[in-house]
């Protein structure tokens, strides 16, 4: 028999536990890495038993989660973020410490979805934003189609389900540029440094790591280095996202939505500077979709293409997109008491349009 738990914790309590356990893990690793302990290299698909890197991962995740709650409770976020950035274990700030799972026969799950099942293709926002900004990472992120172009499909296209259109897209769409053995990367130095750039912009103690601008530019260079792409004059680029041109359903064509440029401008407002940092962080997180989705919900950047047709019956805002995943039908039926309490704590209806606690509808600054 299986023992199941039918009571939900609030999101706030879950985050409190996250921070508590990350601090505890960092403290344990700080002690362990100074001792002669048994190696778990053979069982470690990420760091080969390197305890220093695991300790850095603790602080990187702590910083990521701290920044996620900044709109909900800025003081709480600041306290956790500063603790992470000032911890003696350090953070993931160089590409040799990026957290990626690989080896021992492990198949990258996105490769399996894209190539073994044929269900994973490039979304239109990646080529729109990266090609428009002259970003050389696009060549590393995606494959070219038969016309030597990068083409991603816009979400929510009206008519996609009609006979013939789906096959027409399959013939021209790009796919993630992955191999079966590509590491599944879940945390990177570029993301960490761009989180630090945001912290600096907010005036927090970043442990002398630099200014918002210097960390922003360092984060971009680190991401380009991670992907083996030439940064060139990207940091002085002033171009914005390109239009989406749809050769299959022309009515789906739309102008580029993101108006953010790569070049830093100290004269801009904090919100405009923040938009640059958040956009670059979203780009650097690719192809880790769940973290990218969280960043979009939390920051509002980059501005993405809206769905062409919205079938949510008014539950989800067309421009904002889904804010959460609803509970499963199975959970509603098998755990009615716990489900009812969970919806009560959610503070809104159990649908994709209800914001979770840290997704606060207010300006970033």
């Amino acid at each position: 028999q299986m023992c199941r738990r039918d009571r939900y914790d609030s999101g706030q309590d879950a985050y409190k536990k996250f921070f508590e356990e990350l601090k505890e893990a960092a403290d344990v690793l700080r002690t362990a890495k100074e001792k002669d302990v048994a190696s778990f290299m053979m069982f470690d698909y990420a760091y080969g038993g390197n305890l220093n890197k695991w300790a850095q991962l603790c602080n990187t995740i702590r910083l990521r989660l701290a920044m996620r709650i900044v709109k909900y409770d800025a003081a709480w976020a600041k306290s956790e973020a500063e603790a992470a950035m000032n911890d003696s274990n350090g953070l993931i700030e160089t590409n040799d410490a990026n957290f990626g799972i690989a080896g021992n026969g492990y198949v990258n799950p996105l490769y399996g979805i894209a190539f073994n099942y044929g269900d994973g293709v490039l979304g239109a926002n990646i080529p729109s934003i990266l090609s428009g900004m002259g970003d050389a990472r696009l060549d590393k992120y995606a494959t070219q189609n038969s016309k030597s172009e990068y083409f991603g499909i816009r979400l929510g296209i009206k008519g996609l389900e009609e006979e013939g259109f789906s096959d027409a897209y399959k013939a021209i769409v790009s796919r993630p540029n992955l191999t079966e053995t590509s590491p599944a990367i879940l945390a990177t130095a570029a993301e960490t440094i761009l989180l630090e750039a945001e912290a600096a912009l907010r005036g927090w103690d970043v442990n002398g790591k630099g200014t918002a601008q210097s960390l922003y530019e360092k984060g971009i260079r680190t991401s380009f280095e991670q992907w083996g792409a030439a940064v060139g004059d990207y940091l002085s680029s002033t171009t914005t996202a390109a239009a989406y041109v749809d050769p299959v359903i022309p009515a789906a064509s739309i102008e580029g939505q993101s108006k953010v440029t790569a070049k830093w401008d100290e004269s801009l407002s904090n919100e405009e500077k923040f938009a640059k940092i958040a956009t670059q962080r979203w780009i650097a997180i690719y192809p880790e979709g769940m973290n990218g989705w969280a960043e979009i919900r939390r920051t509002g950047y980059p501005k993405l293409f809206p769905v062409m047709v919205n079938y949510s019956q008014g539950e989800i805002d067309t421009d904002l997109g889904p804010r959460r995943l609803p509970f499963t039908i199975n959970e509603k039926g098998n755990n009615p008491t716990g489900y009812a309490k969970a919806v009560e704590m959610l503070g809104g209806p159990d649908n994709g349009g209800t914001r979770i606690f840290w997704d606060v509808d207010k300006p970033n600054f």
Side-chain angles (χ1 to χ4, degrees):
Q1 291 184 336
M2 293 182 63
C3 179
R4 69 186 307 276
R5 179 173 178 169
D6 61 6
R7 183 179 64 83
Y8 285 87
D9 295 314
S10 70
Q12 294 90 326
D13 284 345
Y15 267 67
K16 289 175 184 176
K17 195 65 175 178
F18 294 159
F19 291 129
E20 177 187 317
E21 293 187 349
L22 286 165
K23 180 183 183 302
E24 180 183 356
D27 290 340
V28 169
L29 287 164
R30 190 184 345 269
T31 301
K33 68 183 185 177
E34 300 300 328
K35 296 181 178 179
D36 184 16
V37 296
S39 173
F40 63 106
M41 178 178 66
M42 293 179 61
F43 312 100
D44 184 356
Y45 286 19
Y47 289 140
N50 187 316
L51 298 184
N52 285 306
K53 292 180 179 179
W54 278 104
Q56 292 172 356
L57 176 66
C58 288
N59 287 325
T60 286
I61 299 302
R62 189 177 183 184
L63 176 60
R64 177 194 289 177
L65 296 180
M67 209 60 78
R68 193 156 291 164
I69 62 171
V70 69
K71 282 180 167 181
Y72 171 74
D73 188 331
W76 184 19
K78 179 175 183 288
S79 174
E80 293 292 343
E82 290 184 343
M85 290 184 290
N86 285 273
D87 187 86
S88 63
N89 286 333
L91 303 96
I92 297 173
E93 295 175 312
T94 56
N95 284 319
D96 62 349
N98 289 346
F99 182 79
I101 303 170
N104 294 319
Y106 182 82
V107 176
N108 184 298
L110 290 179
Y111 175 88
I113 293 169
F115 295 96
N116 293 341
Y117 294 98
D119 289 336
V121 299
L122 199 67
N125 290 292
I126 288 291
S128 166
I129 294 172
L130 271 68
S131 69
M133 296 175 72
D135 194 322
R137 286 173 290 185
L138 180 56
D139 183 54
K140 309 297 181 178
Y141 284 11
T143 63
Q144 292 185 335
N145 61 20
S146 59
K147 298 181 179 180
S148 299
E149 298 172 337
Y150 300 102
F151 178 76
I153 299 177
R154 181 182 169 190
L155 297 178
I157 293 176
K158 185 176 180 59
L160 178 60
E161 69 279 8
E162 295 180 17
E163 185 177 357
F165 286 154
S166 180
D167 289 340
Y169 281 119
K170 287 179 182 178
I172 61 171
V173 73
S174 298
R175 298 182 184 277
N177 192 5
L178 297 168
T179 67
E180 191 173 44
T181 58
S182 295
I185 299 175
L186 302 176
T188 68
E191 180 196 357
T192 304
I193 296 165
L194 289 163
L195 286 167
E196 292 168 345
E198 179 181 343
L201 184 65
R202 294 184 181 280
W204 297 355
D205 177 10
V206 298
N207 195 20
K209 297 176 188 294
T211 64
Q213 179 178 353
S214 69
L215 288 165
Y216 167 78
E217 294 177 347
K218 180 182 178 182
I220 292 173
R221 287 193 296 269
T222 301
S223 179
F224 273 79
E225 176 189 276
Q226 173 194 339
W227 290 94
V231 70
D233 59 358
Y234 183 74
L235 291 172
S236 61
S237 171
T238 57
T239 56
T240 61
Y244 171 70
V245 179
D246 195 315
V248 179
I249 302 178
S253 300
I254 185 174
E255 68 174 14
Q257 299 296 290
S258 176
K259 306 304 179 185
V260 171
T261 66
K263 183 180 180 179
W264 187 266
D265 183 347
E266 194 59 37
S267 69
L268 297 176
S269 68
N270 277 350
E271 182 67 28
E272 291 170 314
K273 293 173 185 175
F274 174 79
K276 292 180 181 290
I277 294 170
T279 296
Q280 287 298 327
R281 197 162 57 234
W282 180 83
I283 294 172
I285 286 169
Y286 179 90
E288 211 290 272
M290 294 302 291
N291 191 21
W293 181 37
E295 281 292 285
I296 286 286
R297 288 179 288 160
R298 198 263 291 188
T299 70
Y301 299 107
K303 180 70 172 174
L304 305 179
F305 295 121
V307 292
M308 189 175 175
V309 58
N310 184 337
Y311 287 123
S312 73
Q313 307 299 311
E315 292 183 351
I316 298 174
D317 184 276
T318 298
D319 291 320
L320 292 177
R323 312 312 290 180
R324 60 179 287 274
L325 298 177
F327 292 106
T328 65
I329 294 175
N330 183 65
E331 185 66 10
K332 295 178 186 179
N334 293 338
N335 183 18
T337 302
Y339 169 73
K341 182 63 177 177
V343 174
E344 180 183 330
M345 290 189 291
L346 183 63
D350 177 25
N351 62 44
T354 296
R355 295 169 181 262
I356 59 177
F357 84 94
W358 50 256
D359 180 11
V360 182
D361 185 13
K362 69 179 185 180
N364 292 291
F365 281 88

